[in-house]
Amino acid sequence: MNSKGWGRALRATVSNWYLNQNPENLIMQVTKYRNFEGYNHRDLFRLCHIHPNLGLPSNHNYWKYYTEYDAIFKFVVEDNMKLRKRKETLTESKIKRSKLDDEKAKIEQQTIEMEKEIEGMAELTLTRKNEATLIEKMKTKTNEATLIEEMKSKEAPNVETSKVLQFLKNFQQLQALTVNDAEKAAELINKHDFVYEHIPKILLNSKDIWKSLLVRMPLKMVMENLGKMTIVDLLGSKEHHCMYNQIIVDKLMDEKILKEMHIQPIDILLTYATYSIGIGYDERREIKWNPSKDIVNALEKAFYSSIQYIVPTNKRYCLFFNISDRMDFPISNSILSCSEVAAAFAMTFIRTESRVVTMTVSDCLIRFKLNCGMNLNNILRSMRQIILTKPNCDLPMSWAAEERLPFDVFIVFTDIEIPYDGG
């Protein structure tokens, strides 16, 4: 990309991505992922200059479903224009609050008027010089627009017959609802299969909304929101929670889901640790809940089950442990302690790789006996029995070289800085 914008190839690539999506997929993408890292679809539209053109083949989806595509494109532009106007309104109010010096404001106004006058003169000169060219271009554009209209199917779907247009209409209705309209929102969710990303934050305080979302919610999203669902009284330890607790348990125990979703054991362990203590954070605010024992037990089982779906690297590993009591301190921004994470990684290697040697150091380098039958607590207990000595990062490598043992990977688990020069 140069300073003037995107090149022709990149513009065409991005435009074609939008135009080659079928309307059902496209409406899901633009409503589900409206903003990302400060950018939105309108930014891409502006850069790629998206528009239908005669280069599209006659059997292209756009001509058949142009009403749906045009409605989606219009939504993208207007939706983000509303956000921008809100920002501009805030900016304008700040400017009004800061009173400018009268003389300075007058000078600025005069400068603006002069610039406009100069621009007007330049445009007038340009128009006179290129009048014939401009007229020709206008004729070409008019002819192209006429041809585009002729290419459009007369049988394109309308609001009554199009699921996409109904989806878009109801999505916009959903954005305007409040907690008092939870029943209406739940009805729309069930009708169009709206997902978590479609729901305004204010509606996520409603139990009915989570009821509608839960059945179709992916396991990763379920894990991230266990605390929230417990707070709104959908999950818990009481009798009326049983049905929804079981939905969560079934998802966690479904080995097919664990395998297909590629959920990492460490993510499940973090969810288990957070949910089981009943404390978390929502937008920097501490929140508390009473966890369901059934869900806690299911998370623990899912953690061990997920390890078997890690694809082994078939490398030769040497794991070296040299730790102290400080490893029991939590990792930054996490409920897990350093020792728990180290134990989880160690167990993962032991259970998935066939060639793993575990070592520690006392007076000399010794084998640290871990096996694939040990659970997380067993490994933690074994790690806490290690007697801390002066650390030496190159000790396992030196030992392997002396014994002529082939390893592909050396991993050192420790909580202190280790000199690498043998000092």
Side-chain angles (χ1 to χ4, degrees):
M1 187 175 76
N2 56 39
S3 60
K4 295 181 180 179
W6 285 356
R8 184 182 300 173
L10 184 55
R11 290 201 306 270
T13 300
V14 176
S15 294
N16 288 337
W17 184 89
Y18 283 100
L19 291 168
N20 290 338
Q21 297 282 327
N22 66 55
E24 291 81 6
N25 288 342
L26 186 58
I27 190 62
M28 180 60 72
Q29 294 294 325
V30 300
T31 54
K32 186 177 179 181
Y33 306 109
R34 295 162 74 188
N35 292 280
F36 183 75
E37 298 291 338
Y39 295 94
N40 53 55
H41 293 281
R42 184 177 180 273
D43 294 326
L44 295 180
F45 283 10
R46 180 173 51 82
L47 289 167
C48 73
H49 307 166
I50 188 170
H51 63 279
N53 58 74
L54 297 175
L56 297 175
S58 58
N59 62 347
H60 193 278
N61 256 0
Y62 176 81
W63 307 121
K64 188 176 180 180
Y65 302 105
Y66 76 91
T67 52
E68 296 178 343
Y69 282 101
D70 289 351
I72 293 170
F73 297 157
K74 183 180 179 182
F75 162 75
V76 168
V77 174
E78 291 183 349
D79 182 51
N80 289 288
M81 282 295 289
K82 290 176 184 176
L83 294 174
R84 196 172 76 169
K85 283 181 179 178
R86 282 200 289 269
K87 291 179 181 178
E88 288 176 352
T89 303
L90 290 172
T91 305
E92 288 171 4
S93 63
K94 289 179 182 178
I95 293 173
K96 288 178 182 178
R97 286 195 297 267
S98 58
K99 294 181 180 180
L100 296 173
D101 183 82
D102 292 341
E103 187 176 347
K104 184 179 178 181
K106 187 177 180 181
I107 293 171
E108 288 180 354
Q109 185 63 32
Q110 289 175 349
T111 304
I112 291 170
E113 289 176 359
M114 288 176 64
E115 288 176 352
K116 285 183 178 179
E117 187 176 345
I118 293 169
E119 287 176 5
M121 292 173 64
E123 287 177 5
L124 182 61
T125 304
L126 180 64
T127 302
R128 287 173 177 172
K129 286 182 178 179
N130 302 286
E131 188 173 350
T133 306
L134 290 171
I135 291 172
E136 189 63 33
K137 285 183 178 180
M138 288 173 65
K139 286 181 179 178
T140 303
K141 286 185 177 180
T142 303
N143 293 336
E144 185 177 343
T146 303
L147 290 172
I148 287 175
E149 288 301 319
E150 291 175 356
M151 292 281 285
K152 293 178 178 178
S153 171
K154 302 297 185 290
E155 299 177 358
N158 54 38
V159 178
E160 286 72 27
T161 60
S162 168
K163 290 183 179 180
V164 171
L165 296 179
Q166 290 175 11
F167 181 101
L168 183 56
K169 179 182 177 181
N170 289 146
F171 172 77
Q172 291 172 309
Q173 289 179 3
L174 181 66
Q175 303 310 301
L177 299 180
T178 65
V179 177
N180 297 328
D181 307 309
E183 188 175 338
K184 173 65 175 175
E187 182 183 330
L188 293 176
I189 292 169
N190 293 326
K191 180 179 179 181
H192 293 288
D193 291 343
F194 288 128
V195 296
Y196 174 85
E197 289 84 356
H198 288 133
I199 313 303
K201 282 188 177 181
I202 192 170
L203 289 176
L204 295 175
N205 294 317
S206 167
K207 180 179 178 179
D208 292 334
I209 298 300
W210 287 104
K211 281 182 182 178
S212 300
L213 291 173
L214 180 57
V215 176
R216 295 180 298 274
M217 191 182 294
L219 182 55
K220 285 185 179 179
M221 190 63 69
V222 168
M223 289 165 51
E224 291 175 7
N225 290 283
L226 286 175
K228 183 69 174 180
M229 287 188 280
T230 307
I231 289 172
V232 299
D233 199 35
L234 183 65
L235 307 175
S237 302
K238 297 179 181 178
E239 188 175 346
H240 67 274
H241 296 136
C242 290
M243 183 175 75
Y244 298 101
N245 287 347
Q246 192 59 46
I247 293 174
I248 304 291
V249 171
D250 290 343
K251 285 178 180 285
L252 289 167
M253 293 294 96
D254 191 327
E255 295 188 354
K256 184 180 178 181
I257 293 177
L258 289 175
K259 185 177 181 179
E260 291 179 352
M261 294 290 291
H262 302 290
I263 298 177
Q264 297 299 317
I266 197 69
D267 292 331
I268 301 178
L269 180 62
L270 179 58
T271 303
Y272 166 75
T274 304
Y275 184 71
S276 60
I277 65 168
I279 300 175
Y281 291 89
D282 181 17
E283 296 181 350
R284 299 182 181 180
R285 178 174 57 89
E286 185 177 272
I287 54 177
K288 296 182 179 181
W289 59 84
N290 294 317
S292 161
K293 291 182 180 179
D294 292 337
I295 294 175
V296 171
N297 292 335
L299 283 167
E300 184 178 11
K301 292 177 182 177
F303 166 67
Y304 291 110
S305 297
S306 64
I307 294 175
Q308 64 183 303
Y309 301 118
I310 295 177
V311 179
T313 62
N314 296 318
K315 301 294 183 182
R316 295 161 296 190
Y317 288 86
C318 178
L319 309 183
F320 179 60
F321 296 85
N322 187 208
I323 58 181
S324 71
D325 293 340
R326 288 187 298 179
M327 285 285 277
D328 288 330
F329 292 143
I331 295 174
S332 178
N333 299 321
S334 171
I335 198 69
L336 291 175
S337 68
C338 300
S339 57
E340 287 173 327
V341 174
F345 275 112
M347 187 172 67
T348 300
F349 282 113
I350 292 166
R351 292 194 177 195
T352 58
E353 301 293 344
S354 58
R355 294 176 290 181
V356 179
V357 174
T358 52
M359 307 293 295
T360 187
V361 61
S362 182
D363 295 329
C364 60
L365 197 66
I366 58 174
R367 288 290 181 99
F368 178 43
K369 294 183 180 180
L370 299 178
N371 60 69
C372 59
M374 300 174 74
N375 62 26
L376 191 63
N377 290 329
N378 296 147
I379 295 177
L380 280 170
R381 278 195 293 270
S382 297
M383 287 171 58
R384 290 184 177 119
Q385 293 173 4
I386 296 174
I387 301 172
L388 182 66
T389 59
K390 184 179 179 181
N392 188 342
C393 186
D394 68 359
L395 195 57
M397 282 71 85
S398 301
W399 166 76
E402 290 173 5
E403 298 293 329
R404 296 187 177 182
L405 297 174
F407 288 105
D408 299 304
V409 183
F410 291 89
I411 301 177
V412 177
F413 295 92
T414 187
D415 60 338
I416 50 180
E417 293 185 11
I418 305 176
Y420 54 84
D421 57 357

